[in-house]
Amino acid sequence: MTTHTPVLFIHGLWLHATSWNSWIDVFEQAGYAASAPGWPGDPDTVAEARANAESIADHGIDDVVAHFAKIIEGLDAKPILVGHSFGGMIAQKLLGQGLAAAAVAIDAAQIKGVLPLPLSALRATLPVFKNPSNRHRSVSLTPEQFRYAFGNAISPEESDELFERWAIPAPGKPLFEAAAANFDPHSPAAVNTANELRGPLLLMMGGRDHTVPESVTRATLKQYRHSSAVTEIMDFPDRAHSLTIDHGWREVADAALTWLGTHAEAIARPAS
């Protein structure tokens, strides 16, 4: 395939944008023009992000959506969006707004209307919610907390290695916004799931994910029942929240590429 269609990778909480580097290489080899911009306030490197955590703090969902919408404005064509965790929510919002040609949302954070709140998800996000002041702060995970939230389906040694390589502080604000979404009529976690004219959407999930369990992703799929636009789901039963960065990342990346190829004709049609 030689498309040169732009692809934007959007990271979620606690991972740096450079964690997408291997994906960028694979997508560029497949003919796409791929890049992974950081969130607003993200320093260029993991080390800088850890040293300047205050630059990451207090950025909410709307800030991140506006940031990526501005990036999209500067592209020659509507991009394909590939987002992980909260990046998956951001990708869905932008797709629903007609700003993207397609989206792949991997273990995406729950959007407004999704009701399941599994205990494992509460435990994974407890480092943020244990202090209400964290809404306006950035919060770091310990290696042990990272193992539970991300690395529970891989060895402790691999989880610790991924933590050292990619983990950065994350703003607490998006989690507080998502937690209150179903009580807020104007929640920034709302997605236009009824858009009939948007491009295709793939929801990917890991069957052993503690942070975004399968029940959340399946409930997200139901939110799209009023749209006839392509919306599909793909399960990796033995994978957890680290599936985009651990030793099995290539399987997930190849599955995303295959799915995009299958829906190439629909993706080529301009979304409205």
Side-chain angles (χ1 to χ4, degrees), residues 63-144:
D63 299 323
V64 183
V65 171
H67 173 74
F68 279 93
K70 187 69 174 177
I71 292 171
I72 290 170
E73 282 181 14
L75 300 176
D76 293 333
K78 288 182 179 181
I80 294 166
L81 304 177
V82 180
H84 173 249
S85 199
F86 260 92
M89 174 199 282
I90 303 303
Q92 290 177 76
K93 282 185 67 72
L94 292 164
L95 181 68
Q97 293 170 6
L99 297 179
V104 177
I106 307 168
D107 287 342
Q110 68 187 77
I111 64 176
K112 180 177 172 64
V114 171
L115 299 180
L117 190 58
L119 289 176
S120 68
L122 290 173
R123 178 177 168 184
T125 54
L126 184 61
V128 172
F129 289 127
K130 67 181 181 181
N131 186 343
S133 297
N134 285 339
R135 180 183 180 93
H136 302 292
R137 297 173 177 168
S138 62
V139 179
S140 297
L141 298 181
T142 65
E144 293 76 20

Side-chain angles (χ1 to χ4, degrees), residues 145-203:
Q145 290 166 341
F146 185 89
R147 273 182 234 139
Y148 183 83
F150 285 80
N152 57 288
I154 56 178
S155 70
E157 293 76 17
E158 183 179 4
S159 179
D160 290 349
E161 180 185 352
L162 296 174
F163 175 85
E164 289 301 323
R165 188 183 303 174
W166 304 124
I168 63 171
K173 190 173 183 178
L175 279 169
F176 280 92
E177 291 174 330
N182 292 328
F183 307 99
D184 179 359
H186 306 293
S187 171
V191 171
N192 183 5
T193 56
N195 186 347
E196 299 273 355
L197 301 176
R198 63 163 172 82
L201 169 65
L202 174 63
L203 301 171

Side-chain angles (χ1 to χ4, degrees), residues 7-24:
V7 175
L8 295 182
F9 292 97
I10 308 175
H11 71 80
L13 301 183
W14 292 302
L15 292 180
H16 193 266
T18 51
S19 64
W20 288 114
N21 282 352
S22 296
W23 285 67
I24 290 173

